[in-house]
Amino acid sequence: MDPKVRLCLLLLALSWSANLMMSVSAQEEDDEVDIMDDGDVELGDDLLGDEGEPEAEPEESEAPTPPPVPKVTYKAPEPMGEHFFAESFDKGTLDSWILSKAKKEGIDEEIAKYDGVWEVEEMKDSKLPGDKGLVLKSRAKHHAISAWLLRPFTFDTKPLIVQYEVNFQTGIDCGGAYVKLLSQTSDLNLDEFVDKTPYTIMFGPDKCGEDYKLHFIFRHKNPKTGEFEEKHAKKPDSDLRTFYTDKKTHLYTLVLNPDNTFEILIDQTVVNSGSLLTDVTPPVNPPAEIEDPDDHKPEDWDERPKIQDPDAVKPEDWDEDAPAKIADEDAVKPEGWLDDEPEYIGDPDAVKPEDWDEDMDGEWEAPQIPNPACESAPGCGKWEKPMIDNPNYKGKWKPPMIDNPNYQGVWKPRKIPNPDYFEDLHPFRMTPFSAVGLELWSMSSDIFFDNFFITYDRNTAERWASDGWGLKKAAEGAAEPGLVKQLIGAAEERPWLWVVYVLTVALPLVLIIVFCCTGKKKPAAAADYKKTDEPQPDVKEEEEEEQEAEEKEEENAEEEEEVKEEQTAADKKSDLEDSPAEDGANEEEEAQDSEEKEDEVDKSDEPEEDVLRRSPRNRKVRKE
């Protein structure tokens, strides 16, 4: 294909791609206008009077409204089945919740109070009108709020399921959104809820800097000492970053089973699981043996695996005083070396500054510059032989290392039975809890909590999640822009993406055109027609098959003519041999006359098509 044609196709493809992107943007604007127009029509119908006359339109037209979001009707979830706690906040009050009036110990008085603000309200960008939740409103303050369960939860033969929703509406810089299940004790006072209030389980998201955590911590009671120790579940293997940054509502679920297994789910997908016996740190059960703290390493204990050979002797020819470098005795001073010229000289153009004080600054000296006389010479100053490696240098002699015959290995203190050892095979049987609370410090505000639920029935929990979080997910999914809108939105934020889009669309198209439309050039005609001034009859172009047939006919005709010529020559030769010499000339003339007549007859019998075919324009070179 001609390079010009290829260039044209490339330009056409690029322009088509640009037009496509512009048409998509224009189409979206048209859609918005259409939606706005439809809304105006409906508004006009509503404003019609009793007599059917529309009211006067306002002078100023309203700004175009965005396309309507598909509506998902919200209905407050209702707990069905056995449960210990259910809170949707859709009543719009905090009647069942208690704000802490305590102060945090060990910090400055100004920030010790739990004076963070809580509100019950809808999300800023709510897709479900009427859906309310608990919102942490303050930044850089301590927050504490709690509520009593319907009845205490006791760990026996049924699992524990805790779930609630969180939405970081403005993102999260440093802060938590975890929940605490407060242990049932005789002195539990929710008005004095602080960070040191005993809890049984702490569960939920937490983030500071680039450390994204999903806590599951339970307090285990030592059966020997009666003391409680925090046990931290292993970290999830999956990446949690998206759940903290996408500003969507996520459902956090903790499932504890009587067989000591646990599962942690986000949006009903397992992100972490394990056993309370093997997948927590520190482990629930201490080791059966420990190192004896009173055991000490003996003074003669030899931990050296290698020692110097005591029987080794330094060789007599070993010279420890030989230098590592010596002068090269074969070196010769280069010709033209200037021994009397210094390598650097004082700058002759330098001038002592006017403010130079010799009493304070000392005697002034011109700055040193390279000696110009040395530029054309191999060197200046005193010549010295260069240094080379000393072939006799061996360094300081050391005896070789051998295996230590007295090696006893690395010393370790002996093991003794652990006096604090115990074996708890049922860590699931934790301290009962009777309240749920949020005790948080956050550098981010507007953290949205909703739909707390505690039960032991998985079906009941899933039904509650479907009625609450399921509606939010459906509404958020319906409000999400389509793929084209997402691409355009991303390009508006990052204009360089337009180049990527154009190349992504145009490049495959150009490649397809180039590979499909570009092929091998057809070979040139066997022979070009001869150009003459004489008029030539017009001949229609025939198909390749017809041309091949014509060529074969021409070949056959030429072969017949050759056979005739050979036959005629043979006849002439035989006639010359049989007839007298004097009659040979006459007979030869008669034969020539008869041949000319036969040729004229044959030419007259040829069809017109053969004549045309023999035209100089239509003659083709015979194929080999």
Side-chain angles (χ1 to χ4, degrees):
M1 185 182 291
D2 193 336
K4 293 183 179 179
V5 177
R6 295 186 185 181
L7 180 59
C8 292
L9 290 175
L10 178 59
L11 295 176
L12 287 173
L14 293 175
S15 62
W16 177 82
S17 302
N19 291 334
L20 177 62
M21 303 304 291
M22 294 176 63
S23 64
V24 171
S25 301
Q27 181 64 33
E28 290 186 350
E29 294 177 358
D30 294 342
D31 293 342
E32 292 180 358
V33 173
D34 294 341
I35 293 171
M36 182 188 68
D37 294 341
D38 293 342
D40 290 341
V41 171
E42 292 177 0
L43 183 61
D45 294 341
D46 294 339
L47 295 177
L48 286 176
D50 296 337
E51 298 179 358
E53 295 181 1
E55 296 182 0
E57 297 181 357
E59 296 180 358
E60 296 181 358
S61 59
E62 297 182 357
T65 58
V69 177
K71 292 184 178 180
V72 178
T73 304
Y74 175 72
K75 181 181 178 182
E78 297 181 1
M80 302 178 65
E82 291 292 332
H83 64 281
F84 294 81
F85 187 80
E87 180 60 83
S88 64
F89 301 100
D90 290 322
K91 294 180 181 179
T93 64
L94 289 173
D95 293 342
S96 59
W97 290 79
I98 301 172
L99 293 172
S100 176
K101 302 179 180 63
K103 294 182 179 181
K104 195 169 185 177
E105 297 180 1
I107 59 175
D108 295 339
E109 184 69 19
E110 296 179 357
I111 60 174
K113 293 182 179 180
Y114 283 91
D115 55 354
V117 179
W118 300 90
E119 295 288 348
V120 175
E121 61 186 21
E122 296 183 9
M123 283 190 292
K124 292 182 176 180
D125 188 19
S126 177
K127 306 298 187 301
L128 285 175
D131 180 18
K132 298 179 180 180
L134 178 65
V135 181
L136 183 150
K137 301 292 292 183
S138 308
R139 295 179 64 255
K141 287 184 177 293
H142 291 286
H143 303 73
I145 190 170
S146 56
W148 294 103
L149 272 60
L150 298 177
R151 60 188 185 279
F153 184 92
T154 303
F155 295 88
D156 45 26
T157 59
K158 295 181 180 180
L160 168 66
I161 301 175
V162 181
Q163 67 182 29
Y164 67 105
E165 301 169 12
V166 178
N167 186 315
F168 298 106
Q169 299 183 85
T170 59
I172 181 72
D173 295 325
C174 186
Y178 43 81
V179 63
K180 289 183 177 181
L181 306 181
L182 305 181
S183 302
Q184 183 185 15
T185 59
S186 58
D187 58 348
L188 178 59
N189 183 4
L190 299 186
D191 288 328
E192 299 295 324
F193 176 34
V194 294
D195 58 327
K196 295 182 180 180
T197 301
Y199 67 89
T200 300
I201 291 175
M202 188 176 85
F203 166 68
D206 188 15
K207 185 247 182 184
C208 197
E210 292 300 316
D211 189 10
Y212 299 87
K213 297 179 181 179
L214 182 55
H215 291 299
F216 167 41
I217 305 172
F218 68 93
R219 296 172 72 242
H220 179 261
K221 184 178 181 180
N222 188 315
K224 278 198 168 186
T225 63
E227 296 179 355
F228 286 89
E229 186 179 24
E230 291 183 352
K231 310 294 182 181
H232 296 249
K234 65 178 183 179
K235 291 185 177 181
D237 296 330
S238 56
D239 186 8
L240 305 177
R241 183 188 302 268
T242 303
F243 304 111
Y244 296 78
T245 58
D246 61 2
K247 299 182 181 180
K248 294 182 179 179
T249 304
H250 295 288
L251 178 67
Y252 294 86
T253 306
L254 171 66
V255 180
L256 286 181
N257 298 307
D259 62 355
N260 301 316
T261 59
F262 68 88
E263 288 182 334
I264 299 176
L265 302 89
I266 302 180
D267 298 343
Q268 298 182 330
T269 300
V270 177
V271 297
N272 196 6
S273 62
S275 171
L276 300 178
L277 291 171
T278 58
D279 297 310
V280 297
T281 304
V284 170
N285 296 313
E289 292 183 335
I290 61 172
E291 294 180 349
D292 185 0
D294 299 327
D295 190 17
H296 301 285
K297 183 174 70 172
E299 295 181 358
D300 59 348
W301 190 275
D302 196 344
E303 292 182 338
R304 300 172 300 167
K306 296 281 187 179
I307 61 172
Q308 292 182 350
D309 185 1
D311 300 329
V313 180
K314 182 176 70 173
E316 294 181 358
D317 59 347
W318 192 285
D319 185 4
E320 292 183 347
D321 299 328
K325 296 283 187 179
I326 60 174
D328 186 4
E329 299 298 336
D330 298 331
V332 179
K333 182 173 69 174
E335 295 182 2
W337 188 279
L338 305 178
D339 296 273
D340 299 332
E341 290 287 343
E343 188 174 357
Y344 291 92
I345 62 173
D347 186 358
D349 299 328
V351 179
K352 183 175 72 172
E354 295 181 358
D355 58 350
W356 186 274
D357 187 352
E358 292 189 355
D359 296 335
M360 297 291 296
D361 303 326
E363 184 180 356
W364 181 83
E365 295 181 358
Q368 298 289 302
I369 63 172
N371 190 346
C374 299
E375 293 180 359
S376 58
C380 293
K382 183 180 179 181
W383 180 82
E384 294 180 355
K385 295 182 178 180
M387 303 299 287
I388 61 173
D389 293 334
N390 185 359
N392 298 321
Y393 174 74
K394 296 183 179 181
K396 187 176 180 180
W397 180 85
K398 293 180 180 179
M401 303 297 289
I402 61 172
D403 293 334
N404 184 1
N406 299 321
Y407 176 65
Q408 295 174 275
V410 178
W411 183 86
K412 293 181 180 179
R414 64 175 175 266
K415 296 283 188 178
I416 61 173
N418 186 357
D420 299 325
Y421 173 73
F422 64 85
E423 187 178 27
D424 182 2
L425 300 179
H426 304 285
F428 171 76
R429 298 173 184 173
M430 304 177 190
T431 305
F433 61 91
S434 57
V436 58
L438 297 168
E439 190 271 319
L440 305 170
W441 164 274
S442 177
M443 294 302 296
S444 301
S445 60
D446 296 310
I447 301 177
F448 183 89
F449 299 87
D450 200 6
N451 295 330
F452 289 87
F453 198 71
I454 300 175
T455 184
Y456 58 73
D457 184 19
R458 186 181 290 267
N459 292 330
T460 303
E462 290 179 352
R463 188 183 302 113
W464 174 270
S466 177
D467 294 343
W469 174 77
L471 285 179
K472 286 188 179 71
K473 182 181 179 182
E476 291 175 352
E480 286 184 354
L483 178 60
V484 175
K485 290 186 177 180
Q486 291 180 7
L487 294 175
I488 294 177
E492 289 176 352
E493 296 178 1
R494 296 173 288 274
W496 56 267
L497 284 176
W498 287 113
V499 179
V500 178
Y501 295 163
V502 172
L503 293 178
T504 303
V505 176
L507 187 59
L509 181 62
V510 171
L511 292 176
I512 291 173
I513 294 175
V514 170
F515 283 105
C516 293
C517 300
T518 305
K520 295 182 178 180
K521 293 185 178 180
K522 294 183 179 180
D528 295 331
Y529 293 129
K530 181 179 180 181
K531 296 181 180 180
T532 61
D533 295 332
E534 297 179 0
Q536 300 292 337
D538 295 332
V539 181
K540 294 183 179 181
E541 295 182 358
E542 298 178 349
E543 299 295 332
E544 293 181 0
E545 295 180 357
E546 295 178 356
Q547 292 178 356
E548 292 179 359
E550 291 175 359
E551 292 173 358
K552 290 182 180 180
E553 291 177 0
E554 291 178 1
E555 292 176 0
N556 294 335
E558 291 176 358
E559 291 177 357
E560 290 177 358
E561 291 177 1
E562 292 177 357
V563 170
K564 288 181 180 180
E565 291 177 357
E566 292 177 356
Q567 185 64 34
T568 303
D571 293 340
K572 288 181 180 180
K573 185 176 181 179
S574 60
D575 292 339
L576 291 173
E577 292 176 353
D578 296 337
S579 48
E582 61 273 7
D583 297 332
N586 295 332
E587 290 177 0
E588 185 177 357
E589 292 177 358
E590 290 176 0
Q592 290 178 354
D593 294 337
S594 63
E595 287 176 2
E596 290 176 358
K597 290 179 180 180
E598 288 176 1
D599 291 339
E600 291 176 359
V601 173
D602 293 338
K603 290 180 181 179
S604 63
D605 294 337
E606 287 180 356
E608 184 178 358
E609 292 181 0
D610 293 340
V611 175
L612 295 177
R613 190 161 50 245
R614 292 186 179 183
S615 170
R617 278 186 189 222
N618 208 30
R619 291 294 296 270
K620 296 184 179 180
V621 177
R622 178 180 176 182
K623 290 186 177 180
E624 293 297 335

